């Protein structure tokens, strides 16, 4: 069997914050098995423990959403409003944030909502992912530019966050 060119050694967790460009690229996940830039971005941010946990949570929930035929690339969105994301991090919840969740695909919302109600594993995974994403935002949004926030919201992970937070009532 040929040796694969993967780096299988685990790096020690790094303190501090990852750079935004590879972070956003990693949270969008590689486009295909040939997306070397996407895999490079993931390798660059994996040593940051909270990012590694978020990526795992995102991968889990994205796989579950795909089982329902919900693919983040298929969801239409509007550009994120960075001011709303900052208010969210500052503790605002409810109607004040209604426009924060730019994923408004009613079919996807209905399908995910149904799965949330009927599947306790999906519900637990969704809530875990929402907590991880919220914790990530709390720790990192202060260093983000408005363009970083717009790019983050448009990643597959960002779209999943918006979809699940809308279902959970965070944005209404």
């Amino acid at each position: 069997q040929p040796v694969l060119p993967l780096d299988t050694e685990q790096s020690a967790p790094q303190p501090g914050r990852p750079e935004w460009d590879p972070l956003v690229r990693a949270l969008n996940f590689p486009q295909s098995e040939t997306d070397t830039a996407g895999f490079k971005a993931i390798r660059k941010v994996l040593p940051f423990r909270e990012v590694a946990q978020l990526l795992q949570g995102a991968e889990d929930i994205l796989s579950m959403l795909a089982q329902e035929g919900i693919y983040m690339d298929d969801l239409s969105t509007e550009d994120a409003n960075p001011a709303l994301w900052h208010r969210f991090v500052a503790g605002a919840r409810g109607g004040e944030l209604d426009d924060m969740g730019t994923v408004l695909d009613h079919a996807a919302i209905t399908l995910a909502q149904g799965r949330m109600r009927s599947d306790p594993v999906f519900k637990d995974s969704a809530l875990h992912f929402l907590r991880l994403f919220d914790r990530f935002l709390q720790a990192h949004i202060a260093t983000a530019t408005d363009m970083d926030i717009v790019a983050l919201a448009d990643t597959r992970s960002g779209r999943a966050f918006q979809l699940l937070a809308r279902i959970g009532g965070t944005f209404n």
Side-chain angles (χ1 to χ4, degrees), residues 30-126:
Q31 300 292 322
S32 70
E33 60 275 352
T34 61
D35 182 1
T36 56
F39 287 109
K40 182 178 178 183
I42 287 176
R43 282 191 298 276
K44 190 168 186 174
V45 300
L46 274 180
F48 297 92
R49 180 179 164 89
E50 78 282 356
V51 175
Q53 290 174 331
L54 177 58
L55 285 169
Q56 182 63 60
E59 182 180 19
D60 292 346
I61 201 64
L62 290 171
S63 294
M64 291 180 175
L65 287 166
Q67 291 171 354
E68 294 298 315
I70 304 170
Y71 301 97
M72 298 302 104
D73 292 339
D74 295 343
L75 301 179
S76 61
T77 62
E78 298 174 11
D79 282 345
N81 179 338
L84 291 176
W85 285 70
H86 284 288
R87 285 204 294 263
F88 176 80
V89 169
R93 297 294 186 269
E96 179 182 346
L97 300 175
D98 194 41
D99 292 335
M100 183 177 163
T102 64
V103 174
L104 300 172
D105 185 306
H106 297 293
I109 291 169
T110 301
L111 284 169
Q113 201 167 37
R115 178 95 184 255
M116 183 85 86
R117 289 181 182 145
S118 66
D119 183 348
V121 173
F122 179 87
K123 183 177 182 177
D124 286 348
S125 295

